[in-house]
Amino acid sequence: MKSRTKVVIVGGGIAGCSTLYHLTQEGWTDVVLIERDELTSGTTWHSAAQVTNFGMNQTMVGLKSHSIALYKKLRDDPEYPVGYHHGDGGIRLANTEAQMQGYRHFASMARGMGVTFEVIDAEECARRHPLISTDNLLGGLWDGEDGDIDPAQLCQALAFQARKAGAEVYRQTTVTGLVQKADDTWTVETDKGAIDADIVVNACGYRVNEVGAMMGVHHPVASMEHQYFVTEDIAAIAEAGHRMPLLRCPISDYYSRQEKSGLLVGFYEQDCKTWGMNGISPDFSNDLCPDDLDRVMDVLEGAFARMPVLAEVGIKRVVNGPITYTIDGAPLVGPIPGKRNAFCIIGLRAGLGEGGGHGWLLAQQIVHGEACYDTWCLDPRRFTGHANVEMTALKAIEDYQNEFRFHFPHEHRPAGRPAKTTPLTPVLAAKGAEFTVVNGWERVDYIKPSPEFHPNLSFNFDETFEVVGAEVQNVHENVGLCEVNGFNRLEITGTDRHQFLDRMFCGRVAKRDGRVGLGYLLNHHGMVKGEATVANLPTSDRGPDRVWYGSAAASEYHDMDWLQAHLRPDEDVQIRSLTNQQTILVLAGPKSRDVMQSVSRADWSKDAFPWLSVRECFIGFAPATVMSVSFSGELAYEIHIPNEALYAAYLALQEAGQAHGIRLFGARAVDTMRLEKGFLHWKADLLTEFDPFETGLGRFVKMDKAHFVGKEALEQRRNAGSSKRLVTLKVEANHAPAPPGASVMSAGKVVGTVTSGEWGHRVGMNLAYAFVEHAFAEVGTMVELDLCGDMTAVQVIAPSPYDPGNTLMQG
């Protein structure tokens, strides 16, 4: 075994083998994979190995498409071919119109990635899969490229190709320790000796947290027992003359695919079972759990009803093995939070089908710092301190029970809630609040008109339309109060703080005490990495001269890692998080200044406290830091309160606001108002796939600065010219918003993709943002939107249709 290498990957399943292979494809050949047993001896060997294009967003569709293309290439390699049944086709069934509408959306979304899905009726489902009944069936989603692959052959082929390129694989070698040195490189200790590496990758499947513990981290990954059986031969299959399509059934929670002349049938039973919660035997390798078909009898009855042939055929063998889940069902592929030069590719519940793409995206991140797609939906830093063992297990159970039931817009399933709350959570619940979830925080979505109010899940505008409209109207005419918890808040101190931030932001950074600025951070490729407000606070009894850096709640770990990674040893800069210590109360509307003047002794006049100001004060007797900023487009104040004083501040504001028509409003109202104002959401509209000029943020870029992160790459991109621009669209429909991922079309060709959409209640328009090709980005351009299967006219309009001059929020 060599003593020095660039990358060590721990784990020899599909995750590890794919990463190894793709690192060599990116030009890094001094790389090593270490496996404690034999390749594929974990979950990989017993996988049902289905390979589909279906994904919940474009990143997932893109990585699956890469997997399919790679597997076809490996299948056709005469030197080391892989058994791959490609193009059998697959159907996802549906028995409600809401599910069918969802499938039409996914077809629209996939089209933008060059993937064709077909929405078919029940009769067509039965024609393509003659073994199914059409009882209680409306139709389904057809993926013509669906298929299955041999797991062991796939991993061996990937390892073979990586070895040919110069990589090394050490089998029967157990990692016993991971030690990070002062220069952030690693020593990987094994039972065969130690190897030094610049970078380590955890690709350990269900043993992920054994290796995580060696690094001092816990990963939110849990294992579930999963059963399938293989039937005896079925005459109808043998006589069909073609392979049967794959089937995935959310109605009865099962799937099937052809296995020789029989069927492989797998189950996602409601009476499911976690695995390995109290540790995993070191001898569990190439192993299975005991069969337990009694547990799946309710699901099996549904499968019998859908496929009557199953009741007439014998079972050849039963497989019950562990598969891994994360809190939201998507894998963790990317940097390990709080660690340098450490990555993971874990929680791959559908590892064989997706693994080619996951390894591809991870290798790009390791070699280049970013992947070709924005990978936030896979990023390990999207979960923070709430992601403990017990919550992960609860969410794994819930995801398992809903394996084939996609999330509808505004659907928040109940397991693992409430994870993060503030002193106001029960108070707002008593006021009728319906909550959404942001990085584990329970945040008010809207205020229910009655306790019995339960809107239907749909891609259409639902019963909350008028409720949200009324909240917006009150903010527009009077004053509204909204709690924004979990907002990422970093306190930056030290004499070099402004110099440091000036290097991190692509624009000018506010430096004057008492002033607030908005800016954007770029990655080393000149693409948008983050958005943050910078507020300068002078020395007071609450602290020294300091900057408050504020960004999206979801960015808590992401932004801390990014800033810490760019600190220089000779800089006097300290960063600490206040995210979990303070909460924001937003007071918004034309009468908000009157409320502030009633509740605080400070002078809140426009001259004394103009737009983009910050000051420390008291709200009643609650200490507060107040900023004159607005995400709604109305006159507004962000009131930052220590959590222990939050209830007192809330009571004081509510009492002072009674004379001015104060009402609570929630996140849905905020979303519609920010769309009307042209304000963008991080990881919805602000993506690493686009630079700030493409994103319409040119006014925040100062190319005359001597240096900022990403400047050189941005100059090259600007000189080369860009292909896309973010535009605002007016959608000529009043029944549904444009869902993220929907395709913008012209003459039957995809020319753009929606990032956000919602009804603008103040302007009376159905609005959307989309990245579109330059030729279609001019104001007035008419194009079409594939709105859940309906081709709908849309027009490019000027940004910020509500108060484009920003006069209202300046007071």
Side-chain angles (χ1 to χ4, degrees):
M1 188 169 75
K2 61 167 64 175
S3 60
R4 186 75 179 79
T5 190
K6 197 164 187 65
V7 181
V8 167
I9 300 163
V10 186
I14 180 59
C17 292
S18 178
T19 305
L20 187 76
Y21 167 82
H22 283 99
L23 283 172
T24 65
Q25 294 294 298
E26 295 295 332
W28 284 18
T29 56
D30 181 16
V31 290
V32 164
L33 183 149
I34 299 176
E35 164 56 44
R36 67 190 294 273
D37 198 325
E38 297 292 339
L39 298 184
T40 76
S41 59
T43 295
T44 300
W45 76 270
H46 62 73
S47 169
Q50 301 168 93
V51 184
T52 175
N53 264 317
F54 183 81
M56 292 296 291
N57 54 56
Q58 288 193 319
T59 296
M60 293 300 295
V61 172
L63 69 86
K64 291 184 178 190
S65 295
H66 174 85
S67 296
I68 290 172
L70 171 64
Y71 298 170
K72 288 165 66 178
K73 176 182 174 183
L74 295 173
R75 176 198 63 188
D76 298 335
D77 183 354
E79 193 173 11
Y80 209 113
V82 174
Y84 177 28
H85 298 121
H86 168 259
D88 291 348
I91 310 173
R92 293 175 183 271
L93 302 179
N95 67 339
T96 70
E97 180 51 43
Q99 287 172 311
M100 292 293 288
Q101 185 186 31
Y103 288 160
R104 288 189 284 271
H105 160 64
F106 291 119
S108 171
M109 180 264 292
R111 186 182 290 115
M113 298 302 290
V115 171
T116 299
F117 290 151
E118 194 179 346
V119 180
I120 57 179
D121 62 22
E123 288 68 30
E124 184 62 17
C125 289
R127 190 188 72 77
R128 298 188 188 189
H129 198 308
L131 299 184
I132 68 170
S133 161
T134 58
D135 290 348
N136 187 32
L137 185 66
L138 279 183
L141 184 71
W142 172 264
D143 174 8
E145 293 202 77
D146 219 332
D148 68 273
I149 197 164
D150 184 295
Q153 289 181 12
L154 171 60
C155 291
Q156 294 290 354
L158 290 167
F160 172 78
Q161 299 293 343
R163 285 192 190 101
K164 275 181 62 179
E168 297 186 25
V169 176
Y170 304 140
R171 299 170 295 115
Q172 299 294 333
T173 303
T174 302
V175 173
T176 57
L178 293 167
V179 179
Q180 192 160 31
K181 295 182 284 189
D183 63 355
D184 291 327
T185 63
W186 294 84
T187 296
V188 182
E189 299 170 345
T190 80
D191 60 352
K192 304 285 179 62
I195 180 169
D196 291 327
D198 295 334
I199 294 167
V200 294
V201 178
N202 186 342
C204 286
Y206 53 69
R207 294 191 184 275
V208 51
N209 278 310
E210 294 178 14
V211 173
M214 298 177 192
M215 292 186 185
V217 299
H218 167 76
H219 297 287
V221 175
S223 296
M224 302 293 299
E225 288 190 16
H226 176 61
Q227 295 186 94
Y228 65 77
F229 62 63
V230 177
T231 73
E232 300 285 355
D233 290 354
I234 297 173
I237 292 178
E239 297 165 1
H242 61 84
R243 288 182 58 83
M244 288 290 161
L246 288 82
L247 199 69
R248 297 172 183 86
C249 182
I251 308 165
S252 301
D253 298 304
Y254 83 99
Y255 62 88
S256 75
R257 67 165 176 83
Q258 185 170 331
E259 178 72 4
K260 296 183 179 178
S261 291
L263 289 173
L264 182 154
V265 185
F267 306 96
Y268 291 96
E269 70 279 7
Q270 299 303 293
D271 184 22
C272 54
K273 186 177 180 182
T274 57
W275 180 85
M277 291 285 288
N278 297 315
I280 303 167
S281 167
D283 300 324
F284 192 91
S285 183
N286 268 311
D287 211 345
L288 293 171
C289 310
D291 301 347
D292 190 6
L293 286 183
D294 288 345
R295 203 168 70 229
V296 303
M297 288 310 296
D298 58 334
V299 182
L300 189 56
E301 289 177 9
F304 284 169
R306 182 63 57 204
M307 300 176 73
V309 69
L310 290 176
E312 303 166 6
V313 67
I315 295 174
K316 189 183 298 183
R317 71 178 186 276
V318 178
V319 172
N320 184 18
I323 57 176
T324 56
Y325 280 77
T326 66
I327 286 178
D328 64 0
L332 304 177
V333 180
I336 294 175
K339 295 293 177 183
R340 302 275 182 88
N341 298 330
F343 296 81
C344 60
I345 177 168
I346 52 179
L348 277 61
R349 76 178 189 208
L352 266 294
E354 305 172 352
H358 289 310
W360 174 56
L361 294 180
L362 180 60
Q364 292 178 54
Q365 292 179 68
I366 292 171
V367 175
H368 307 296
E370 297 282 0
C372 57
Y373 305 140
D374 190 297
T375 56
W376 182 247
C377 64
L378 307 172
D379 198 300
R381 297 165 297 189
R382 69 188 189 273
F383 304 126
T384 57
H386 62 293
N388 58 40
V389 175
E390 301 303 327
M391 164 177 265
T392 304
L394 289 172
K395 296 301 289 185
I397 292 168
E398 182 180 64
D399 246 8
Y400 187 94
Q401 293 170 332
N402 291 277
E403 177 69 29
F404 298 130
R405 284 183 280 277
F406 56 79
H407 278 78
F408 282 91
H410 307 297
E411 179 184 6
H412 300 287
R413 293 172 180 169
R417 298 180 63 187
K420 297 179 184 177
T421 61
T422 75
L424 286 188
T425 305
V427 177
L428 298 173
K431 294 283 189 180
E434 180 70 23
F435 293 93
T436 184
V437 181
V438 181
N439 189 23
W441 291 94
E442 295 288 329
R443 186 178 291 180
V444 176
D445 207 20
Y446 58 89
I447 304 299
K448 295 186 289 187
S450 69
E452 298 77 27
F453 183 77
H454 299 291
N456 294 305
L457 294 174
S458 172
F459 281 80
N460 291 333
F461 291 119
D462 61 25
E463 295 87 343
T464 63
F465 186 88
E466 299 295 340
V467 174
V468 172
E471 291 181 7
V472 171
Q473 188 70 16
N474 190 66
V475 170
H476 174 61
E477 295 177 349
N478 301 307
V479 60
L481 183 64
C482 175
E483 181 192 50
V484 181
N485 47 21
F487 187 74
N488 185 42
R489 185 182 295 95
L490 303 177
E491 185 177 86
I492 304 176
T493 54
T495 56
D496 297 323
R497 64 190 183 280
H498 291 304
Q499 173 187 310
F500 168 65
L501 290 171
D502 191 59
R503 189 172 74 250
M504 297 304 298
F505 284 85
C506 64
R508 304 279 182 243
V509 176
K511 298 177 182 177
R512 187 154 55 93
D513 284 346
R515 297 301 291 166
V516 180
L518 176 67
Y520 293 87
L521 303 94
L522 309 184
N523 62 26
H524 295 97
H525 303 281
M527 314 299 249
V528 177
K529 185 74 172 176
E531 175 192 63
T533 55
V534 172
N536 295 287
L537 297 170
T539 298
S540 71
D541 58 353
R542 302 182 194 176
D545 287 349
R546 59 208 183 278
V547 168
W548 273 16
Y549 169 110
S551 57
S555 72
E556 180 183 352
Y557 282 3
H558 174 280
D559 283 17
M560 178 64 89
D561 277 358
W562 185 250
L563 295 174
Q564 293 277 15
H566 287 84
L567 284 175
R568 293 174 179 168
D570 60 346
E571 283 183 314
D572 177 24
V573 177
Q574 300 81 43
I575 306 174
R576 72 181 183 114
S577 176
L578 301 177
T579 299
N580 298 301
Q581 300 171 29
Q582 302 238 353
T583 295
I584 298 172
L585 295 176
V586 171
L587 193 70
K591 299 179 182 178
S592 56
R593 179 177 284 123
D594 297 328
V595 177
M596 291 297 290
Q597 202 62 68
S598 301
V599 81
S600 170
R601 289 187 294 108
D603 182 354
W604 297 99
S605 66
K606 184 175 180 179
D607 290 338
F609 194 70
W611 185 44
L612 298 180
S613 296
V614 59
R615 68 161 51 135
E616 292 175 329
C617 63
F618 291 91
I619 299 298
F621 57 80
T625 304
V626 179
M627 301 181 196
S628 178
V629 295
S630 174
F631 203 47
S632 64
E634 307 289 350
L635 176 66
Y637 301 92
E638 271 188 11
I639 306 168
H640 300 245
I641 306 286
N643 282 339
E644 64 271 18
L646 185 62
Y647 184 46
Y650 166 82
L651 290 176
L653 288 166
Q654 282 282 29
E655 181 178 355
Q658 292 307 307
H660 304 287
I662 195 168
R663 283 183 57 186
L664 295 171
F665 66 101
R668 293 229 205 155
V670 172
D671 202 40
T672 173
M673 289 188 286
R674 67 98 185 172
L675 273 158
E676 293 174 304
K677 280 301 300 166
F679 297 151
L680 310 182
H681 260 174
W682 187 69
K683 294 309 178 188
D685 319 299
L686 299 169
L687 304 169
T688 58
E689 294 177 34
F690 302 98
D691 67 39
F693 296 115
E694 293 171 311
T695 312
L697 301 172
R699 65 192 182 280
F700 293 98
V701 181
K702 302 301 178 187
M703 297 302 290
D704 58 348
K705 286 176 62 174
H707 175 70
F708 57 81
V709 174
K711 179 183 178 182
E712 294 77 13
L714 184 60
E715 286 178 327
Q716 293 175 11
R717 287 185 60 82
R718 187 169 64 164
N719 292 336
S722 58
S723 60
K724 296 283 183 74
R725 271 175 52 194
L726 185 69
V727 298
T728 303
L729 300 174
K730 178 184 178 184
V731 181
E732 300 296 342
N734 57 18
H735 69 284
S743 288
V744 181
M745 312 282 293
S746 179
K749 175 178 173 286
V750 177
V751 298
T753 299
V754 169
T755 59
S756 297
E758 191 52 81
W759 186 268
H761 289 275
R762 292 174 298 189
V763 297
M765 296 183 195
N766 194 356
L767 298 172
Y769 297 156
F771 280 100
V772 302
E773 296 175 8
H774 262 292
F776 302 91
E778 294 304 314
V779 171
T781 302
M782 295 298 300
V783 284
E784 289 186 304
L785 175 69
D786 183 349
L787 184 58
C788 297
D790 296 327
M791 297 309 295
T792 304
V794 292
Q795 181 181 21
V796 178
I797 63 172
S800 188
Y802 180 73
D803 187 29
N806 295 332
T807 57
L808 293 176
M809 62 186 187
Q810 296 184 45

